[in-house]
Amino acid sequence: AKLSYEIQHPVHSSHPLNLYTSNVWGFNFIACDECRYICHGFIYFCEQCNFKLDIKCAALTAHKIGVLEEKKMGKVTELYHFTHPHKLVLANCNDPKYETACSICKLQILGPAYFCPKRLCKYILHESCPRLPQKIQVPFHLNHMLVSRLLPYINSRRWCYGCTLSLMTGEFAYSCEHCDFNLHVICANSLRRPLKCEFHLNGLYYFGRNHKSLFDLERDINFDCEVCDGSCKRKPFYHCLKCDTNFHLKCVPISDT
């Protein structure tokens, strides 16, 4: 409440900076031009230069060198990605109170991210997600390679072969160009190696913490353990893709040899 409405700051000495709320112009993401952290509260803003300074940096008198260090390390600060028509800008998303999900993998972002600076646009990615491979191969579909793409519109629903949950039109996924075979990004990157043991004839694939956000959306689907009949929801579990059965980790005996 005691913040000054206008300040002069050494990091942008050419013009005064005025106090605004970070969502006053309808932007979903605004990054401080000094530290590159995404701002969720008040900012100081130069309307002539479009320069933005968060409250934390405005309180410092010494010039921080975070952005310069980023450039020295060779990080790409701006890029285009085929999943989005606008330019994406690098920033840091480190506030756990704001659960920001990646537009590609749907997992929470805590760390470097690329976001769209356009007004009313909510598109944001992990820094690593634009580097996902264009083509991959998974052990349960060896006949063809899978290609990353945005799923086009069709009248019927699509299903992920890995987790058996639905895939939405426009969602980023890995698909087979020859078969009706699709995978969530999480499933394509997690289900690379099966667990092989005497307990079960087929390989078992691990579904862990990264899949929790997908399963939480499906309230009507049961994920019961084949051994103890207990629910596997909200817990890591093994899944057999051929039998469509689930097992708690503790219910799968694994030999020490």
Side-chain angles (χ1 to χ4, degrees):
K2 296 180 180 179
L3 290 172
S4 300
Y5 291 119
E6 182 178 291
I7 63 170
Q8 292 282 349
H9 201 277
V11 301
H12 190 75
S13 56
S14 54
H15 304 114
L17 302 176
N18 298 306
L19 184 68
Y20 289 92
T21 58
S22 60
N23 61 352
V24 67
W25 299 285
F27 294 100
N28 286 282
F29 303 108
I30 292 181
C32 171
D33 288 312
E34 179 64 9
C35 67
R36 300 306 303 165
Y37 278 70
I38 291 178
C39 313
H40 293 289
F42 289 97
I43 61 168
Y44 281 103
F45 179 67
C46 175
E47 297 183 12
Q48 298 181 56
C49 305
N50 196 31
F51 181 84
K52 298 168 285 291
L53 197 67
D54 65 18
I55 301 302
K56 169 175 57 65
C57 291
L60 301 176
T61 56
H63 181 62
K64 296 177 68 177
I65 57 171
V67 177
L68 295 177
E69 287 179 349
E70 271 188 359
K71 291 180 179 178
K72 288 178 182 177
M73 292 169 61
K75 286 192 174 183
V76 178
T77 56
E78 297 179 350
L79 58 78
Y80 285 92
H81 195 258
F82 76 91
T83 59
H84 193 69
H86 307 139
K87 180 175 65 177
L88 304 178
V89 179
L90 182 67
N92 287 295
C93 188
N94 284 341
D95 193 338
K97 292 189 299 182
Y98 296 89
E99 295 188 4
T100 305
C102 174
S103 298
I104 283 184
C105 70
K106 310 304 180 185
L107 298 177
Q108 184 178 1
I109 298 175
L110 282 174
Y114 287 104
F115 74 96
C116 178
K118 294 288 185 180
R119 187 173 297 176
L120 300 179
C121 190
K122 298 181 179 180
Y123 200 83
I124 186 169
L125 308 175
H126 288 106
E127 184 195 15
S128 59
C129 280
R131 299 194 297 271
L132 287 171
Q134 185 177 0
K135 291 186 177 183
I136 64 169
Q137 191 166 44
V138 291
F140 42 91
H141 192 75
L142 295 173
N143 293 332
H144 307 118
M145 299 290 288
L146 303 182
V147 180
S148 62
R149 64 167 181 159
L150 295 176
L151 294 175
Y153 173 79
I154 58 172
N155 290 326
S156 58
R157 296 184 72 180
R158 295 185 182 90
W159 305 94
C160 172
Y161 182 84
C163 64
T164 69
L165 302 182
S166 60
L167 286 158
M168 307 300 292
T169 296
E171 186 171 349
F172 186 93
Y174 281 97
S175 301
C176 178
E177 296 178 308
H178 306 281
C179 314
D180 184 19
F181 186 95
N182 302 287
L183 289 174
H184 287 110
V185 175
I186 299 175
C187 297
N189 285 284
S190 301
L191 310 181
R192 294 296 185 91
R193 294 182 61 186
L195 171 69
K196 296 181 179 180
C197 58
E198 296 180 358
F199 168 78
H200 195 72
L201 180 63
N202 305 313
L204 301 177
Y205 288 88
Y206 175 76
F207 286 78
R209 176 176 55 85
N210 286 350
H211 285 87
K212 181 180 180 299
S213 58
L214 292 177
F215 294 133
D216 285 350
L217 298 175
E218 303 289 339
R219 299 181 179 179
D220 299 330
I221 299 179
N222 292 322
F223 296 96
D224 294 337
C225 175
E226 189 74 8
V227 175
C228 68
D229 291 330
S231 176
C232 292
K233 271 197 171 183
R234 299 185 178 275
K235 301 175 183 177
F237 63 92
Y238 288 115
H239 179 71
C240 177
L241 299 178
K242 291 186 177 181
C243 305
D244 194 23
T245 51
N246 306 309
F247 305 92
H248 289 121
L249 303 190
K250 64 181 181 181
C251 294
V252 177
I254 300 176
S255 175
D256 294 333
T257 58

